[in-house]
Amino acid sequence: MDDDGTRGVRGSSAGRVPGPALPPPPTTPPRVPPPAAGPRPAAPPVEQRPARPGSAPPVEQPLPGAPVDAWLRTPRPPQEPGVWRYGYTPPPPEEPEGVSNRSLLVGALISLLSALLLWSLWRNGYLPYRLVPLKLFTPGEWWNPGTSGGPRTIEGSDALTVYEAILFGLLAYGCGRIGNFSELFRRHVADRGQPFLALAAAAAAGLTQLLVWKEALPVVRPVLVLVASVAGGEIYQSQTVVNVIYAVIAAAVLYPFARLGRWRELIAARRGTAAPAADGTATAPAAATSADQWPELRTAGWTDAADTLTAEVRTGRMNDVDVARLRHAWALATRRPDRLAPLAEAVLRTGGAAALHPSGHRDLPRRGARHDVLTGQVRIGRCADDPHNPYVRRGTGLALEPALLGTSLLAVGPPGAGKTARLIRPVVEALALRALAGQAAVLAVGGTGAPLGPDDAFDVVVRLGHPGSAHDIDLYGGTTDPDEAAAVLAEGLVGDVGSLDSRRAATVLAQLLGPYRAAHGHFPSVPELRELLDGTPAALAGLRASLEAAGHHTMLRELDARSRQAGGPGDPAPALADRVALLDRPAFTGFFATGPDARPFSLRALGQHPLRVRVDLPERGHAEASRLLTRLLLAQFTAITAARTDTTLFACLVLDDATHAVTAETVRGIRRLRSVNAGAVLALRTVDDVPETLHTPLLGAVGCTAAFSGITTWDGKRFAEAWGKEWVETREVAQHTVFADQPFTRALHALRKLVTGKAVTTDAVTVRQVERERWSASELAYAVPAGHAVIRLATVEGEHAPPLLVHLDG
């Protein structure tokens, strides 16, 4: 079986490593959720923004065991970069800043007292000319002479009754508008929700009914007068008609309070039925073919396969990874029509187990974050309700996806800030799920014991320096070109040494790797490479003899050039030998083998197969060697992904600790990753772990950056400069002392100062537009709470989001 260089070399265990192209069948059937017993559960709720205080609580995200068909039907509208799209609902319009509760209550009370005073003056006849408007539109014989003369006839009395009712309605309306009773009702009654809203409306309705039937409010008599004027007074001879009129009046008084208290919605909720829309609009009908019925297969004519998958989804025999994997397989098959029939046959034969990942796994052993495998998003937190965040982003979930990771991500924070647990591990988990769906390949690199995931969540686990490791790492990246291998190896060995030119170091290595491979058919092992770099006479003589025997005269010239340059000023060979000596330790005996029987894992397989790889580095006992290997893996990854021709798979490298791993060449490589469907995630304790000359290039090369709580002001300054500035509106208030000219006014000012202890002042407000940093260095260092981070996101298409303060719950 061709395993494409992914087989390990740790003794007899080497044969147990599955190849990524055509693996052996799994020994146990894949674990899928069992079919639900009894009736199917209801559709899961979706995540929404938190509403304003006092409104209904937000609905949480569906549980991991939620039905897949409901998960498929949940809307995922396109949004700005980083928005958690699963079940997203837009926020309500932003309300302008309102008055305080105290001012609102005082204004309502003053308005009510003023209205009562006016009504009392009206009813008792203290307002002059109060009947003049009515007399202008009614016959004069109805009234006594004079502007204040009352009604003379019954018709005048009836007109006065209706006139008073109209004026009372206008007075009540004006009082409500001036006193802002609607806002008062919304804040202190409606926002408290049910059942308080319904009970308050019922109490107000009862009090109003009492005042109406006691004729404290002019409602009953004006209605009776109007009915008599239209239908005639004889209508009241029937008691039934009178009772109907009274019932209509009672219902008309009760109706506004029923609307305000939302009694109908409350009754419907108590009965378990959904209330109709308040605006009378009907609910949009469901689509003819929903997402859980596989419309793409039905459109292509594969109805039987679509029916099979629909049954698998609805009976619970498929999970979200199966859905994403089969959708991706179908999308790939449509590009190659000859693959459609085999895929459809596999679906009919095995159902949701068709097009399995080479490992045979259909899910991770366990998940620690919230994922939406259909979009590739992983939710890492929620945007805080902070003035720095735009209103539309406050309270929304923040998620990462390949479109964002394709621009690479740099996370900076001190130890204990939560970089690994709340960011790195969720990202690795999401990429592993996407690899199971056949859409990504991930390489996670961390120290031994780093919580990057359990062993059974990866296809390849490399434990460098551990005798029980079943896998090894190819120092030369799986290439057969000596120049390419020398360039990458030189970057990993001495790329962090500023006094050395990595190109000269690559030339020295090429002068040794080329002749050695020509003579032996493979590159040298670590001990042999160390001897060649040290210029050991026996090693060079043996290599020369092998080349002469094989007739490799070109390679002999390369070796002669190396011999002439050895020991000269600026020769990088001693520095290379010292760095190689870090790997030539007893702990690494048997590792980095290059013989004909050794086939270590090569990063070149990441660009060809959806692999999940984890590399554990011995950071505690061999810190320098671990940094060297991290730098080498980063250099290999950028070189290999940039050279691949098939960019279908999204390849991502995740470094849990990128200290001293970033070099000038790898920064240029990171900048090229977004064009080849690849990305890198780098975690640093501080930006100073990168050479100072690379601070600006690194922050410019990555599209996504995250500043965790606890960073220093020096790091905050670099992030503030990288994130730029924005125009904001500022208000400046200046207080000026008021000097009175009149004696009486001066006396009042003196009395006020005596009482309050403060001089009389006036405020001068200046509003202007200024350009300020989105986040200042001091705010990043001291204003970011624990468990939070300020994250800026950008996509490979060029969209970007401003830096957002995020509460991390990954």
Side-chain angles (χ1 to χ4, degrees):
M1 180 186 68
D2 185 11
D3 56 18
D4 198 21
T6 62
R7 186 152 50 101
V9 296
R10 306 256 51 87
S12 60
S13 62
R16 297 199 302 266
V17 183
L22 186 61
T27 56
T28 59
R31 297 180 295 103
V32 296
R40 294 173 57 205
V46 297
E47 181 186 40
Q48 297 180 355
R49 291 171 48 91
R52 294 185 178 87
S55 60
V59 189
E60 291 300 328
Q61 183 187 348
L63 299 177
V68 179
D69 55 348
W71 170 79
L72 265 174
R73 292 193 302 268
T74 302
R76 297 166 174 84
Q79 294 298 324
E80 296 179 0
V83 175
W84 176 248
R85 294 166 50 193
Y86 181 84
Y88 175 82
T89 54
E94 185 176 9
E95 294 185 354
E97 185 178 356
V99 296
S100 63
N101 288 332
R102 179 179 178 181
S103 300
L104 193 64
L105 290 172
V106 171
L109 180 60
I110 293 176
S111 175
L112 180 61
L113 294 177
S114 301
L116 292 176
L117 177 61
L118 285 175
W119 184 246
S120 177
L121 294 175
W122 167 270
R123 293 295 300 269
N124 291 284
Y126 290 107
L127 295 180
Y129 311 105
R130 64 190 186 96
L131 299 180
V132 171
L134 180 60
K135 292 180 180 181
L136 292 176
F137 296 95
T138 54
E141 60 269 14
W142 290 4
W143 309 98
N144 293 319
T147 56
S148 300
R152 177 188 300 177
T153 63
I154 296 177
E155 291 82 357
S157 299
D158 293 341
L160 181 59
T161 301
V162 176
Y163 180 59
E164 287 183 344
I166 294 174
L167 290 180
F168 178 82
L170 293 176
L171 182 62
Y173 177 77
C175 173
R177 291 298 301 270
I178 296 174
N180 205 359
F181 278 84
S182 59
E183 178 67 15
L184 186 66
F185 175 80
R186 187 190 67 81
R187 287 192 190 183
H188 299 282
V189 180
D191 283 353
R192 300 185 64 174
Q194 301 287 12
F196 180 82
L197 176 60
L199 294 176
L207 178 61
T208 305
Q209 291 279 10
L210 179 62
L211 295 176
V212 166
W213 296 111
K214 291 292 185 179
E215 297 189 1
L217 299 179
V219 176
V220 178
R221 289 181 59 84
V223 172
L224 296 177
V225 169
L226 289 175
V227 172
S229 63
V230 174
E234 296 81 4
I235 193 173
Y236 294 122
Q237 295 178 1
S238 173
Q239 186 63 35
T240 302
V241 174
V242 174
N243 293 337
V244 170
I245 294 175
Y246 285 165
V248 171
I249 294 174
V253 174
L254 193 63
Y255 178 75
F257 296 97
R259 288 293 302 272
L260 290 175
R262 301 174 186 173
W263 294 352
R264 187 177 181 183
E265 297 177 12
L266 179 62
I267 295 173
R270 295 293 183 182
R271 292 180 178 177
T273 59
D279 55 358
T281 57
T283 304
T289 304
S290 57
D292 63 322
Q293 295 180 350
W294 300 85
E296 60 271 18
L297 273 70
R298 298 182 188 276
T299 304
W302 300 95
T303 307
D304 294 341
D307 292 339
T308 300
L309 294 179
T310 301
E312 293 269 307
V313 168
R314 294 186 175 180
T315 55
R317 292 195 295 268
M318 286 181 64
N319 58 18
D320 53 353
V321 179
D322 295 331
V323 173
R325 185 186 68 251
L326 289 174
R327 281 195 167 190
H328 178 67
W330 180 262
L332 293 180
T334 54
R335 305 175 188 173
R336 299 277 300 274
D338 57 314
R339 296 184 180 181
L340 288 176
L343 178 60
E345 293 176 1
V347 169
L348 292 174
R349 185 175 63 256
T350 61
L356 271 181
H357 183 264
S359 65
H361 297 162
R362 297 172 64 176
D363 201 352
L364 297 179
R366 56 183 176 272
R367 303 185 188 183
R370 304 176 187 178
H371 300 272
D372 184 19
V373 188
L374 203 61
T375 58
Q377 287 190 318
V378 53
R379 187 182 183 279
I380 62 172
R382 183 185 296 275
C383 296
D385 188 5
D386 187 86
H388 286 92
N389 293 342
Y391 170 77
V392 295
R393 299 301 298 268
R394 297 175 192 174
T396 61
L398 188 82
L400 297 176
E401 56 184 308
L404 299 172
L405 298 178
T407 64
S408 298
L409 186 149
L410 176 66
V412 179
K419 299 189 301 297
T420 300
R422 300 182 179 184
L423 180 64
I424 299 299
R425 174 157 182 174
V427 168
V428 173
E429 199 173 83
L431 293 172
L433 288 172
R434 202 160 181 82
L436 290 178
Q439 304 175 49
V442 56
L443 172 62
V445 181
T448 302
L452 299 180
D455 293 351
D456 47 359
F458 296 91
D459 303 314
V460 176
V461 178
V462 182
R463 295 185 177 89
L464 292 175
H466 193 284
S469 177
H471 300 273
D472 197 355
I473 285 291
D474 188 356
L475 289 180
Y476 304 99
T479 183
T480 58
D481 184 2
D483 293 329
E484 181 181 350
V488 176
L489 185 59
E491 195 65 33
L493 291 176
V494 295
D496 62 327
V497 181
S499 58
L500 286 180
D501 187 358
S502 59
R503 290 174 296 181
R504 290 195 59 188
T507 302
V508 171
L509 288 172
Q511 290 172 344
L512 296 174
L513 296 181
Y516 191 94
R517 179 171 178 79
H520 300 282
H522 59 83
F523 291 123
S525 63
V526 169
E528 293 169 334
L529 179 60
R530 180 183 180 185
E531 291 180 353
L532 292 174
L533 289 172
D534 282 333
T536 305
L540 293 176
L543 179 58
R544 183 180 300 276
S546 299
L547 292 174
E548 291 175 350
H552 294 292
H553 301 290
T554 303
M555 293 302 170
L556 280 173
R557 289 197 299 270
E558 287 286 300
L559 190 60
D560 291 339
R562 171 86 289 269
S563 300
R564 290 192 302 270
Q565 296 171 4
D571 183 18
L576 290 169
D578 291 341
R579 289 299 178 88
V580 173
L582 296 174
L583 304 179
D584 189 18
R585 305 298 302 162
F588 300 115
T589 302
F591 284 87
F592 316 119
T594 59
D597 298 331
R599 298 185 64 188
F601 172 76
S602 170
L603 265 65
R604 199 167 296 273
L606 287 175
Q608 304 169 1
H609 308 286
L611 289 175
R612 302 166 295 166
V613 184
R614 193 189 77 203
V615 178
D616 295 342
L617 301 176
E619 289 184 343
R620 294 183 179 178
H622 303 275
E624 287 297 327
S626 297
R627 294 174 181 175
L628 186 153
L629 292 171
T630 302
R631 192 164 52 250
L632 177 62
L633 291 174
L634 178 58
Q636 287 186 0
F637 180 82
T638 55
I640 290 172
T641 53
R644 62 177 181 163
T645 57
D646 185 6
T647 60
T648 304
L649 283 176
F650 175 73
C652 188
L653 170 67
V654 181
L655 297 182
D656 185 48
D657 184 5
T659 303
H660 300 294
V662 179
T663 64
E665 184 61 32
T666 54
V667 168
R668 287 190 286 268
I670 289 173
R671 190 179 289 110
R672 293 192 296 264
L673 290 179
R674 67 179 66 191
S675 62
V676 292
N677 196 23
V681 179
L682 312 177
L684 294 171
R685 295 181 177 89
T686 174
V687 182
D688 289 331
D689 289 338
V690 177
E692 185 176 358
T693 56
L694 298 179
H695 290 174
T696 300
L698 177 60
L699 289 172
V702 298
C704 304
T705 49
F708 283 71
S709 61
I711 64 172
T712 63
T713 53
W714 292 274
D715 288 343
K717 179 180 179 181
R718 298 181 182 99
F719 280 109
E721 292 176 350
W723 292 339
K725 300 179 180 181
E726 63 178 346
W727 289 98
V728 297
E729 183 180 277
T730 62
R731 295 170 56 90
E732 297 180 356
V733 180
Q735 292 185 340
H736 303 283
T737 303
V738 177
F739 297 97
D741 297 332
Q742 302 299 326
F744 181 72
T745 307
R746 286 201 297 269
L748 290 178
H749 287 185
L751 178 62
R752 179 176 174 180
K753 183 176 181 181
L754 181 63
V755 174
T756 62
K758 298 180 180 179
V760 179
T761 59
T762 182
D763 294 339
V765 180
T766 303
V767 180
R768 59 178 180 174
Q769 295 281 339
V770 298
E771 191 177 22
R772 288 184 179 177
E773 293 176 333
R774 299 179 185 272
W775 281 83
S776 67
S778 298
E779 288 175 331
L780 289 172
Y782 302 110
V784 179
H788 290 66
V790 181
I791 302 178
R792 178 193 179 272
L793 301 175
T795 65
V796 292
E797 290 83 9
E799 298 182 62
H800 60 85
L804 303 171
L805 178 63
V806 181
H807 176 252
L808 301 170
D809 55 8

